[in-house]
Amino acid sequence: MAEVQRRVGAELDRIGPVIDELGERFASAGEQLALVGGPVRDAMLGRLQNDLDFTTSARPETTERLIAGWADAVWDMGRAFGTIGCRKGPWQVEITTFRADTYDPTSRKPDVEYGDTLAGDLGRRDFTVNAMAVTLPDRGFEDPFGGLLDLAHRVLRTPGRPEDSFSDDPLRMMRAARFAAQLGFGVAPEVVEAMTAMAGRIEIISAERVRDELVKLVCAPHPRLGLTLLVQTGLADHVLPELPALALERDEHHRHKDVYEHTLTVLEQSIALEDRLGGGPDFISRFAALMHDVGKPRTRRFEAGGIVTFHHHDVVGAKLTHKRMQALRFSNAEIDAVSKLVELHLRFHGYGTGEWTDSAVRRYVRDAGDQLERLHILTRADCTTRNRRKAERLRRTYDDLETRIARLSEEEELAALRPDLDGNQIMQILGIGPGREVGEAYKHLLDLRLEHGPATPEEAKAALLEWWAERTGGGPATAK
């Protein structure tokens, strides 16, 4: 406990320039103000952050007046929900009026109602570890629901009955899974029971809000914990049904691996390789790992001799991924990136022990496009065999492929793989204007580039004229 107090004190001192000045401003106006939620929880966990959440007795218009001239910038996009945001130096601040809102059983949006007390505001929060507050400017600690004890026990509980909490805001069920993944916490049995009983209520929540929670969960340090909870409680059946579908009924002779467990392992192995991307958590790479085998349930076949096959599950999986991400309102760029990775995740297995020609390597790079590095990660992560010799052989083979890609890239600039002539040059040589023929000529030259590597301008021109002569039946060329 002494260590927790020390951490909290140090964090409050660090953010003192914000909390002390704000506290004085609101107190002088006769209003209450408290630091609340995630910042208080994270201070106790020793996790520093510059996003600060406050709750106040002041109405939004009063809050706006009190921070005018103090904040570097102010925004009010959340005014309808009682929230005024601002920036002060490196800190992002949100100040929300005490709330007591609830959901109508058939509505996707809460009915916003202002509350009167700090205790009442804390009581409507999702979990006890987020229902602690530091009052300002006196820095008093408020913990009416035992959040500190739950934090020590690393467990998620609701301030009141979980059934009431999830009825008020069904998205809190998703947040339970997300916080389990972010914090590595367990979930109280009564919370799991309520999530299971009320899973279908998530249907009233907008796809965008579900998507945002799913992204946070997948990008958390322990996504397996959150995903397992979604499947266990039945929530995944409503928000990501492709995941529980991977828990295929095993045939009596166990002739195929557990696809669900394999997928979670691939996700974890993908995360372990993320440093290749040079940044933090990468949603595209992680979600591709999660979705890479979703085509297997639809393509599973039992063949003669007890063989289990999943032919074309890569193509089927890409289509299912595209459809699911569209339903969750992901951007077209995100959908295209993940779907491409799912579709290409088996391509490497045609490499054998290195029999691909340079042409095949070029096509691999060309098809992967800007997702090549993520494809490297997914392909390596997809090896979950316990046979060490097999795993080492696959690793060495992929090392060889990457080496060949690097060599060809250095020689031929594969990352910018294009035909040896551009559209303007094609039109000039053939003496034609813009149209379908230019695109077809471009594709023909690109195929030649992929097959044979770079050509000189003279060689490319000769190849173009030969193609044009064949296309026009060997008649006189109009080319210049």
Side-chain angles (χ1 to χ4, degrees):
M1 186 62 69
E3 176 59 23
V4 171
Q5 291 176 333
R6 185 198 66 76
R7 285 199 297 260
V8 172
E11 176 64 357
L12 293 180
D13 288 342
R14 186 183 74 89
I15 63 177
V18 174
I19 64 175
D20 294 340
E21 292 180 17
L22 267 183
E24 291 292 350
R25 280 177 172 260
F26 278 73
S28 296
E31 302 286 0
Q32 295 175 269
L33 182 74
L35 183 70
V36 71
V40 178
R41 177 200 69 220
D42 288 347
M44 294 178 175
L45 293 172
R47 292 154 46 111
L48 306 184
Q49 60 171 292
N50 284 353
D51 291 345
L52 305 178
D53 295 329
F54 298 86
T55 187
T56 180
S57 59
R59 296 298 191 256
E61 59 274 12
T62 302
T63 294
E64 202 166 25
R65 175 173 57 80
L66 290 174
I67 63 176
W70 173 82
D72 298 328
V74 178
W75 51 89
D76 66 351
M77 287 86 76
R79 179 185 292 274
F81 298 96
T83 299
I84 301 296
C86 69
R87 177 177 55 80
K88 178 67 172 178
W91 290 283
Q92 300 290 324
V93 172
E94 287 193 351
I95 306 172
T96 302
T97 303
F98 293 157
R99 294 265 292 273
D101 38 281
T102 60
Y103 271 82
D104 179 90
T106 60
S107 172
R108 288 189 171 193
K109 295 182 179 180
D111 296 321
V112 177
E113 296 180 9
Y114 294 138
D116 300 317
T117 65
L118 174 60
D121 181 88
L122 296 178
R124 58 158 289 279
R125 293 182 178 267
D126 49 12
F127 304 105
T128 59
V129 296
N130 295 330
M132 300 179 286
V134 174
T135 57
L136 301 169
D138 62 308
R139 298 191 180 186
F141 180 56
E142 297 290 332
D143 180 23
F145 302 102
L148 183 58
L149 185 61
D150 287 337
L151 199 71
H153 290 159
R154 302 177 65 82
V155 65
L156 294 171
R157 278 193 314 111
T158 54
R161 288 188 348 120
E163 293 83 1
D164 295 335
S165 180
F166 299 153
S167 179
D168 286 346
D169 185 353
L171 191 66
R172 290 172 178 167
M173 295 185 288
M174 287 287 296
R175 287 168 64 85
R178 190 248 288 186
F179 282 123
Q182 283 184 333
L183 303 174
F185 282 15
V187 181
E190 69 274 13
V191 174
V192 174
E193 184 177 344
M195 291 171 66
T196 304
M198 303 176 67
R201 185 145 165 76
I202 197 67
E203 296 282 355
I204 74 164
I205 302 298
S206 70
E208 291 83 357
R209 295 185 72 206
V210 169
R211 173 202 65 207
D212 291 347
E213 286 298 325
L214 185 61
V215 169
K216 292 174 184 176
L217 188 163
V218 170
C219 290
H222 315 284
R224 180 189 280 261
L225 290 177
L227 293 167
T228 300
L229 183 61
L230 290 183
V231 172
Q232 174 189 353
T233 58
L235 272 167
D237 293 333
H238 301 276
V239 301
L240 194 65
E242 294 78 10
L243 183 60
L246 292 174
L248 298 171
E249 181 181 349
R250 303 287 293 276
D251 63 283
E252 59 179 333
H253 300 295
H254 300 281
R255 291 193 177 93
H256 64 85
K257 68 179 69 176
D258 186 324
V259 183
Y260 172 69
E261 285 298 325
H262 163 75
T263 294
L264 295 181
T265 300
V266 171
L267 171 60
E268 292 178 326
Q269 294 186 168
S270 176
I271 292 170
L273 295 170
E274 273 182 346
D275 57 350
R276 294 178 57 130
L277 299 174
D282 183 71
F283 173 76
I284 299 298
S285 179
R286 294 186 182 200
F287 203 60
L290 191 62
M291 301 295 284
H292 79 283
D293 272 349
V294 295
K296 281 191 170 180
R298 292 197 181 184
T299 59
R300 183 173 65 158
R301 299 290 182 271
F302 296 100
E303 300 185 354
I307 297 174
V308 182
T309 64
F310 303 96
H311 293 313
H312 307 300
H313 78 268
D314 46 348
V315 177
V316 172
K319 291 178 180 177
L320 291 173
T321 297
H322 192 279
K323 184 177 180 180
R324 177 54 50 198
M325 293 185 74
Q326 273 191 326
L328 290 170
R329 305 291 193 271
F330 281 97
S331 70
N332 288 337
E334 291 169 316
I335 294 172
D336 290 345
V338 176
S339 299
K340 177 186 285 188
L341 290 167
V342 173
E343 185 171 1
L344 294 177
H345 83 274
L346 289 181
R347 184 74 63 87
F348 160 71
H349 295 286
Y351 188 70
T353 57
E355 295 89 354
W356 276 3
T357 62
D358 284 353
S359 171
V361 174
R362 292 187 195 101
R363 292 181 186 279
Y364 188 79
V365 174
R366 173 69 178 184
D367 290 347
D370 60 0
Q371 299 306 315
L372 181 62
E373 193 60 45
R374 289 188 174 115
L375 183 58
H376 290 334
I377 290 173
L378 176 58
T379 304
R380 289 180 180 276
D382 196 23
C383 175
T384 61
T385 178
R386 295 180 181 178
N387 184 319
R388 285 189 173 185
R389 294 180 63 182
K390 181 179 179 181
E392 180 61 21
R393 184 175 68 252
L394 287 170
R395 184 192 65 77
R396 287 197 308 267
T397 305
Y398 205 84
D399 285 346
D400 177 70
L401 175 57
E402 287 204 58
T403 299
R404 291 184 63 189
I405 290 172
R407 176 177 57 78
L408 286 172
S409 295
E410 184 176 350
E411 295 173 357
E412 305 178 13
E413 298 184 11
L414 289 188
L417 197 59
R418 293 183 294 272
D420 296 293
L421 299 174
D422 63 26
N424 289 328
Q425 290 170 313
I426 290 170
M427 288 188 288
Q428 182 180 11
I429 292 170
L430 297 182
I432 60 176
R436 178 170 52 85
E437 292 89 350
V438 179
E440 292 176 355
Y442 188 94
K443 182 180 183 301
H444 174 70
L445 291 175
L446 178 57
D447 286 341
L448 292 179
R449 172 75 167 80
L450 289 167
E451 188 67 31
H452 303 294
T456 66
E458 292 75 17
E459 291 170 335
K461 179 178 179 179
L464 175 62
L465 290 173
E466 181 182 354
W467 172 81
W468 182 256
E470 291 176 357
R471 176 186 174 83
T472 55
T478 60
K480 297 179 181 178

